[in-house]
């Protein structure tokens, strides 16, 4: 599992596995992306981060408040080809992102203003290793009815690792078999499933995928036995 200490010390070129040189962002590129995103900050209200994947159970950054929230207009999709972290170029997996349409339930984290740049720099080092996401300001509805503006990492469809086909039948075999320095791809999927169950959140598109991946792993274990 990623830890704060791991991220602080990580050399992005090697820490996640082998990343194509042409895709790897430099620290300068990450800093420029962060600066451009903050320049578009809608107002001086607190900065919230919307977590819809591993940020939900392993945020690693500091926050002053955590609340359940709903994002309209975007849905979860394993549409990012994964060749590092929990996959390799020889056996790629799929990582989670957001695509347009539908809605997503997740967690909103309010960052402390006095630590804003430090925490966001760490977040960019985690999420923007290859610049695969578009950090976007979106309106969230929190569980208590409040409307807040949050930073959301949505899929950049122009990225070379974007995969349009994220149907369960296509991606289940990839997720079932991929692994890398950070663990297995299936482990990520099952952690997401458990977190949503724990939070009482529904994401119907995951049910079929989880069942398919479990079935493939059971079949593989039976064959090995």
């Amino acid at each position: 599992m990623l830890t704060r200490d791991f991220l602080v010390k990580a050399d992005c070129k090697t820490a996640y596995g082998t990343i194509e040189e042409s895709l790897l962002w430099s620290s300068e590129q990450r800093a420029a992306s962060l600066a451009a995103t903050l320049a578009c900050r809608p107002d001086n209200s607190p900065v919230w981060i919307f977590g819809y994947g591993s940020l939900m159970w392993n945020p690693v950054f500091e926050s002053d408040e955590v609340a359940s929230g709903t994002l309209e207009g975007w849905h979860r999709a394993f549409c990012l080809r994964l060749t590092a972290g929990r996959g390799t170029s020889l056996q790629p997996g799929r990582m989670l992102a957001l695509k347009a349409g539908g809605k997503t339930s997740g967690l909103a984290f309010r960052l402390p203003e006095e630590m804003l740049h430090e925490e966001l720099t760490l977040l960019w080092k985690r999420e923007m290793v290859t610049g695969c996401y578009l950090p976007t300001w979106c309106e969230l509805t929190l569980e208590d009815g409040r409307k807040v503006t949050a930073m959301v990492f949505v899929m950049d469809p122009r990225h070379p690792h974007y995969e349009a086909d994220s149907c369960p039948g296509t991606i289940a075999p990839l997720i079932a078999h991929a692994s890398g320095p950070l663990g297995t791809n299936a482990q990520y999927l099952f952690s997401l499933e458990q977190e949503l169950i724990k939070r009482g959140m529904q994401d119907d598109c995951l049910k079929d995928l989880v069942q398919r991946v479990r079935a493939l792993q059971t079949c593989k274990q039976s064959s090995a036995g």
Side-chain angles (χ1 to χ4, degrees):
M1 181 179 284
L2 283 173
T3 64
R4 187 180 182 91
D5 187 58
F6 173 90
L7 279 174
V8 169
K9 297 176 179 177
D11 175 356
C12 291
K13 188 173 183 178
T14 58
Y16 302 101
T18 304
I19 299 175
E20 294 173 50
E21 196 75 38
S22 61
L23 294 180
L24 188 67
W25 272 25
S26 65
S27 58
E28 290 78 17
Q29 284 175 297
R30 295 197 304 273
S33 168
L34 172 54
T37 302
L38 284 176
C40 297
R41 185 176 175 179
D43 49 44
N44 290 321
S45 61
V47 170
W48 293 78
I49 302 296
F50 182 62
Y52 57 88
S54 62
L55 291 182
M56 294 179 67
W57 65 86
N58 184 33
V60 308
F61 50 71
E62 297 291 332
S63 59
D64 284 342
E65 183 182 357
V66 183
S68 297
T70 302
L71 173 67
E72 297 285 347
W74 299 90
H75 68 277
R76 289 182 179 88
F78 282 87
C79 58
L80 177 60
R81 187 162 77 254
L82 188 60
T83 60
R86 295 179 182 272
T88 64
S89 57
L90 292 178
Q91 193 161 54
R94 284 294 184 92
M95 185 42 64
L96 190 62
L98 292 180
K99 292 176 70 173
K103 66 179 180 179
T104 302
S105 295
L107 292 183
F109 301 86
R110 179 166 59 86
L111 300 189
E113 189 68 31
E114 66 276 10
M115 299 175 66
L116 189 60
H117 195 269
E118 178 186 350
E119 299 308 306
L120 289 177
T121 297
L122 203 63
L123 182 61
W124 250 250
K125 194 174 181 182
R126 171 176 174 162
E127 302 294 336
M128 298 292 283
V129 176
T130 68
C132 56
Y133 296 111
L134 294 172
T136 305
W137 296 98
C138 299
E139 183 179 81
L140 284 183
T141 303
L142 302 185
E143 57 188 339
D144 61 6
R146 280 180 294 165
K147 304 280 189 181
V148 301
T149 302
M151 191 184 294
V152 183
F153 288 91
V154 305
M155 185 69 219
D156 184 351
R158 301 165 300 180
H159 194 273
H161 282 185
Y162 168 67
E163 297 283 0
D165 183 0
S166 55
C167 295
T170 301
I171 67 176
L174 302 174
I175 293 175
H177 300 124
S179 66
L182 298 184
T184 69
N185 203 176
Q187 184 181 44
Y188 177 95
L189 173 65
F190 299 152
S191 294
L192 175 60
E193 177 200 30
Q194 289 304 308
E195 185 68 19
L196 294 178
I197 291 172
K198 185 176 82 173
R199 300 280 178 183
M201 297 176 180
Q202 295 287 330
D203 198 321
D204 294 336
C205 69
L206 287 180
K207 291 180 181 178
D208 184 25
L209 178 58
V210 167
Q211 289 173 352
R212 286 173 182 263
V213 171
R214 283 209 171 98
L216 286 165
Q217 290 193 324
T218 299
C219 181
K220 182 179 179 181
Q221 289 167 0
S222 298
S223 299

